[in-house]
Amino acid sequence: MKHTNEMEIRFESRSENEGFARVAVASFMTQLNPTVEEVADVKTAVSEAVTNAIIHGYEDEIHKVSIRCRISENVFTVEVSDKGRGIENVQEAMQPMFTTKPEQDRSGMGFAFMEAFMDSVEVESEPGKGTCVKMTKTVGKGRELWTTRSL
Amino acid sequence: MKYQVQENCLTIYLPREVDHHNAEEIRKEADAVIDRNHIRYVIFDFEKTDFMDSSGIGVIMGRYKTISLIGGEVWAVHTNDRIRKILTLSGVTKIMQIYEEEVV
């Protein structure tokens, strides 16, 4: 039987919840027996998506951010969504160094980091309705079981 | 923010996690200190840091913009593998020197 599991969390778009979101996702992920590196990759990607929801989606107003995680065999999927202002031009927003808030010292590297650390990143957004970032990562890809190798 | 000023050099001891939440405070305090003390060199000390996202990159780039106007430099010290990966990936290593400790 295929191993699956799912979880969902909803929290207020306060910056102190960024740390909570990373840790919650990372601890749900541990059942896949990931490497330290894989956990760090997912934590960074989640942090970027949640930060985007807080500062761009809701522009520092307090509303709800949702995270949904799914495990299917060794594929980890995480969706971060908000019901905020949405993105006019997703392609433009995903370009490295592109930012609408340079005065706040935003580096414009958020989506670039998500793409670098996850296997796939899909963004669905509608101006005025909100944004959903769906990311997947296959865990334990490069790992060989030592028991299958001859000594 | 924990920091130390020695002549025209500011060392910022970064917290365990550098994200949007605590980047704000570092940014504001660092700018105030840079302004007051005629800082030319900013050293980011990653000794205690095990997590950083693009908000941290923003902090480094922003400080670089300020002090490069007066010919200053930004440095990173005590970086672990993960932090070096983030720094390299962001391209910020083009404007910042990473101080490599000698391996004993």
Side-chain angles (χ1 to χ4, degrees):
Chain A
M1 215 177 74
K2 230 179 165 187
H3 170 69
T4 60
N5 199 356
E6 214 174 299
M7 76 97 162
E8 233 177 301
I9 46 173
R10 259 173 98 227
F11 51 89
E12 290 193 331
S13 55
R14 302 179 189 278
S15 66
E16 53 264 53
N17 286 334
E18 290 159 4
F20 160 72
R22 289 195 293 272
V23 173
V25 172
S27 70
F28 182 72
M29 186 194 177
T30 54
Q31 58 196 290
L32 281 169
N33 194 21
T35 61
V36 176
E37 178 104 10
E38 285 164 340
V39 175
D41 287 353
V42 169
K43 275 173 91 171
T44 309
V46 168
S47 194
E48 299 297 349
V50 171
T51 304
N52 277 351
I54 293 175
I55 60 183
H56 298 290
Y58 293 130
E59 299 197 288
D60 297 316
E61 283 177 23
I62 304 300
H63 299 285
K64 297 286 196 306
V65 179
S66 312
I67 297 184
R68 193 166 171 196
C69 296
R70 216 173 12 253
I71 288 170
S72 178
E73 286 296 310
N74 61 344
V75 181
F76 187 69
T77 307
V78 50
E79 283 174 40
V80 178
S81 47
D82 66 69
K83 293 193 172 22
R85 59 171 298 172
I87 305 167
E88 298 268 342
N89 184 340
V90 173
Q91 239 184 340
E92 183 183 50
M94 288 182 81
Q95 264 166 32
M97 314 293 279
F98 176 86
T99 180
T100 52
K101 297 202 188 312
E103 76 287 354
Q104 284 182 28
D105 271 345
R106 303 308 310 166
S107 62
M109 296 304 293
F111 278 119
F113 276 13
M114 291 182 233
E115 287 186 312
F117 293 127
M118 302 295 282
D119 295 342
S120 74
V121 180
E122 282 168 47
V123 182
E124 263 175 58
S125 190
E126 204 181 315
K129 292 263 171 68
T131 302
C132 177
V133 178
K134 183 179 174 183
M135 303 180 277
T136 66
K137 190 176 182 71
T138 305
V139 175
K141 241 188 322 202
R143 224 176 321 145
E144 270 179 80
L145 270 179
W146 65 273
T147 44
T148 61
R149 258 182 301 162
S150 60
L151 292 171
Chain B
M1 180 183 86
K2 278 197 197 135
Y3 69 93
Q4 191 179 33
V5 176
Q6 285 166 304
E7 295 188 29
N8 61 355
C9 174
L10 164 67
T11 305
I12 300 173
Y13 300 98
L14 294 168
R16 199 173 64 79
E17 303 198 303
V18 184
D19 61 3
H20 160 242
H21 179 60
N22 42 35
E24 292 286 290
E25 183 197 322
I26 299 167
R27 185 160 78 94
K28 283 193 194 118
E29 286 191 41
D31 281 351
V33 177
I34 290 169
D35 219 41
R36 226 182 308 130
N37 299 280
H38 310 287
I39 297 296
R40 231 182 124 148
Y41 300 95
V42 178
I43 301 170
F44 291 95
D45 191 324
F46 289 89
E47 173 107 67
K48 295 216 159 43
T49 310
D50 54 32
F51 179 87
M52 181 170 79
D53 65 14
S54 72
S55 303
I57 301 298
V59 173
I60 296 170
M61 285 186 351
R63 283 348 96 213
Y64 173 75
K65 273 186 212 149
T66 314
I67 62 163
S68 64
L69 294 174
I70 53 159
E73 287 173 16
V74 285
W75 284 77
V77 297
H78 298 131
T79 50
N80 64 24
D81 288 350
R82 181 70 193 176
I83 299 297
R84 274 200 294 279
K85 188 173 176 182
I86 298 275
L87 294 175
T88 311
L89 201 71
S90 71
V92 86
T93 42
K94 289 184 195 127
I95 56 155
M96 180 177 60
Q97 323 280 333
I98 297 182
Y99 181 78
E100 303 276 356
E101 278 88 336
E102 275 173 58
V103 184
V104 183

